[in-house]
Amino acid sequence: MSTIFILFCTLASLHSVASQGKPPGIIDPLVPQIRYIAAEDSISLTCKAEGNPTPKYTWYRNGKEISSNQYQKVDADTGALEIPDFSGREAGDYRCGATNNISQGVSPLAMSPAISLKEIRHATGWTKSGQIEHIIASEGEYAKLECNNVTHGDPKLPFSWFLKSSKDADQLRESNRTYIDERGTLHFIYVEPSDKTSGDDVYHCAIYNKVQDYIKLGNAKRLTVKEVTVKPERKPRNQFKTNPAEFQIGQTAELECVFSGYPLPSIQWFNIRNEPINPGGRYQMDKHNIKLKIAKLTEKDEGLYRCKGGSTLGEAETTIFLDVKSGPVWEKAITNLTVPEGRDASFTCKARPAIDEKALEPPVWYKNWERIQKTTGNIIFGDEVRVLTVTQPTKPDDIMCFQCQITNDIGSVFSNGCLNVIKPIEVTTQPLLKQGIKKGDLVNLTVRGTTDPGMTLRYRWEFKNKTYYTELPPHVVYDDVTKQTYINTTSLSDEEFKQIEGTYTGVLYHDFETRRVVIDVVLDDGTGDRYQVTGADVCEHSLYPWIYSLSAAVVVLLFTVVFLIIRRPTCTCPLQQQSEAYLTPVAINMSHVVGGGEAGADDGPYYSTIPDVPAPKRC
């Protein structure tokens, strides 16, 4: 009988994917948001998640679950949150929660990043002094009108200036001689007679709310310009710079540098390496180079920037230290994780402070949005609470979601990760792992396995440093009827027969696990099998090689025990009387008996009378 090798089954055969529980995964929103809402406006927040069964939705404000009422309405099926009449009462941090029922008592809860809703706070106006401030400057000199006593709103509103008469008010258009800085101050690089106020004309600082389309005017200012016969030249001089210059990572920094002088100074910017900055990329210039914009700030942008104002009369310069601040910076956030049953699952929540910022506090952990602070059950913490590990998870009891948050005085980072536990890949059929073959053997190559019903089990082969995904190794054939994969060595040439020797690796895998069955196939050198193989299709009963070895050992042991029992000496009881002779059958080959029958005849057992031998008795 030909030696049978069971190596593997068809890679074209895939496990069918059954309906399988899967914890929820939120797909919107994915990033934190800040939204400003005007009082009495309506607002709608949406949330979308995937999972099996289809998730249901809840909303949380400042960590507490929201119940539908006259002020807020939650749709558990669509994930929508409606606030029909927004006010400061509804301001806060909102998170969407998505949950589904995996099995009885198992309902993982995933949480979204926060959506911060803020009420637009109006700049209520100005502290009225009742007096008109009077500024006097000579033609060609620098002058500034400060925007005093402003009440800031949220978000911060842009400033503008108006020249108001008794009849109307005209907004001042900025020119190369005028500039309004971040604090609302109106700078005149040098004044001209046309800048002066006359009669009832006054300057007013103003704040403009583009969303609600309103303008509020501040205290009045008058400007007197003394005319001269010859306008004197003046060297550049720094009159204003951004201080402090504090911006957060990811924001756009706006650095301002105002120089006075006549003729009009030109402005040049230099980076932290003292290299000239030219507009382009992340760098942009605004308002005749008075303002430098640096987009998408990183920690590497922090440092000392230099601005220089120059004219034919000379130069002036100053420096601005750009302080790039940040909430915690992610090094590794937790994410969704799928593991086979029994394999530890670890979630890492690790962030660092920005450069030169103080150390961070440990992360705060939640399980299904309930805070956990210490090791409990099979949930353990490590690396100063940065790593959470679920040991030996089982399905479905350990299907759950975790959240972690790290906070400093600038902001916080938040992440959500759900643990899905699946049944592991089981190899149900495999051959002996070391086998030898001779020419003419039928090499049957089949490996079978099972896995979680929610996974698609795939197969591939690895042979002689090559991986076969959609094809088979050389000379390997798959039979659609018998579902067997084999090599028929009868049809192979001697050269081809030599080529099939080697290590065949059957790989059973899906997205979350890989199992390998490694089989060494060697050729018989003519002196006998290198590895003894008995029986055919030995793995069709889902037994592993070590089981066969154990079975053989048990059989040998049983034979030994039986042999010892049979050969055991009998003991003679005292006062034993002599018994009659008895017949014992003796198989005799009559060819070896003188005077017997024909040589080679088999006449069956013969009975020989053995006198004077007592029958043995048990003691």
Side-chain angles (χ1 to χ4, degrees), residues 598-617:
E598 296 181 4
D602 186 1
D603 296 322
Y606 286 77
Y607 287 88
S608 174
T609 302
I610 305 177
D612 301 327
V613 179
K617 291 185 179 180

Side-chain angles (χ1 to χ4, degrees), residues 492-500:
L492 300 181
S493 66
D494 291 344
E495 185 62 31
E496 290 172 335
F497 180 69
K498 293 178 181 179
Q499 293 174 0
I500 67 174

Side-chain angles (χ1 to χ4, degrees), residues 320-596:
I320 299 173
F321 181 77
L322 174 58
D323 186 3
V324 180
K325 294 185 172 295
S326 174
V329 180
W330 276 125
E331 289 189 343
K332 188 173 184 181
I334 66 174
T335 57
N336 294 337
L337 184 61
T338 299
V339 298
E341 197 172 40
R343 180 185 298 175
D344 291 356
S346 293
F347 295 85
T348 300
C349 181
K350 190 173 183 180
R352 62 171 178 81
I355 296 174
D356 296 329
E357 301 288 341
K358 64 181 182 181
L360 299 173
E361 295 294 326
V364 176
W365 286 91
Y366 302 84
K367 171 189 170 184
N368 296 329
W369 201 227
E370 292 185 3
R371 186 165 179 181
I372 49 178
Q373 296 178 287
K374 60 182 180 179
T375 295
T376 174
N378 64 338
I379 298 176
I380 61 175
F381 290 102
D383 190 18
E384 298 180 339
V385 198
R386 296 186 183 95
V387 178
L388 179 153
T389 300
V390 182
T391 60
Q392 299 293 305
T394 60
K395 178 183 179 178
D397 295 343
D398 290 318
I399 296 177
M400 64 190 85
C401 295
F402 296 100
Q403 297 82 32
C404 80
Q405 188 166 11
I406 305 175
T407 305
N408 66 4
D409 54 358
I410 304 297
S412 66
V413 289
F414 172 89
S415 62
N416 177 93
C418 293
L419 173 61
N420 188 24
V421 184
I422 61 174
K423 292 296 183 181
I425 295 175
E426 298 279 357
V427 178
T428 59
T429 299
Q430 72 175 34
L432 295 177
L433 302 183
K434 288 183 178 292
Q435 304 180 49
I437 62 172
K438 295 181 293 185
K439 185 70 177 295
D441 288 342
L442 180 67
V443 185
N444 187 359
L445 314 173
T446 304
V447 162
R448 295 191 180 95
T450 62
T451 190
D452 192 274
M455 298 293 109
T456 297
L457 186 60
R458 296 180 172 86
Y459 297 82
R460 68 174 184 263
W461 290 2
E462 296 171 358
F463 180 63
K464 293 186 177 179
N465 299 320
K466 184 176 180 180
T467 302
Y468 299 84
Y469 289 96
T470 58
E471 299 177 346
L472 303 176
H475 312 299
V476 177
V477 178
Y478 173 68
D479 191 322
D480 284 319
V481 177
T482 63
K483 308 300 181 184
Q484 298 290 318
T485 306
Y486 60 88
I487 300 175
N488 187 350
T489 63
T490 303
S491 60
L492 300 181
S493 66
D494 291 344
E495 185 62 31
E496 290 172 335
F497 180 69
K498 293 178 181 179
Q499 293 174 0
I500 67 174
E501 184 174 38
T503 299
Y504 293 78
T505 303
V507 185
L508 299 79
Y509 69 101
H510 52 61
D511 291 341
F512 306 105
E513 188 183 11
T514 299
R515 290 289 302 273
R516 282 180 162 80
V517 178
V518 180
I519 307 100
D520 288 327
V521 175
V522 296
L523 306 183
D524 191 333
D525 58 4
T527 61
D529 291 344
R530 297 184 186 179
Y531 304 99
Q532 291 297 321
V533 181
T534 60
D537 211 10
V538 292
C539 290
E540 286 297 312
H541 304 288
S542 304
L543 297 176
Y544 296 99
W546 66 268
I547 298 179
Y548 291 105
S549 300
L550 180 61
S551 300
V554 170
V555 171
V556 171
L557 179 61
L558 288 175
F559 272 112
T560 303
V561 171
V562 171
F563 176 78
L564 291 176
I565 292 174
I566 293 174
R567 297 286 296 173
R568 163 175 86 173
T570 59
C571 58
T572 304
C573 296
L575 304 177
Q576 178 175 277
Q577 295 180 358
Q578 185 169 331
S579 65
E580 297 179 356
Y582 63 91
L583 294 177
T584 189
V586 178
I588 300 176
N589 187 336
M590 297 304 296
S591 64
H592 298 291
V593 179
V594 177

Side-chain angles (χ1 to χ4, degrees), residues 142-190:
Y142 166 78
K144 67 178 180 181
L145 307 182
E146 293 183 335
C147 194
N148 307 110
N149 305 321
V150 62
T151 56
H152 295 289
D154 188 19
K156 186 177 179 180
L157 300 176
F159 293 98
S160 59
W161 280 82
F162 284 80
L163 183 58
K164 185 177 182 295
S165 66
S166 57
K167 296 180 180 180
D168 54 22
D170 294 325
Q171 185 175 356
L172 184 67
R173 305 297 179 185
E174 290 182 271
S175 67
N176 59 354
R177 288 192 309 108
T178 59
Y179 179 74
I180 302 171
D181 68 32
E182 61 180 357
R183 301 174 184 175
T185 300
L186 172 61
H187 299 269
F188 291 90
I189 308 303
Y190 61 87

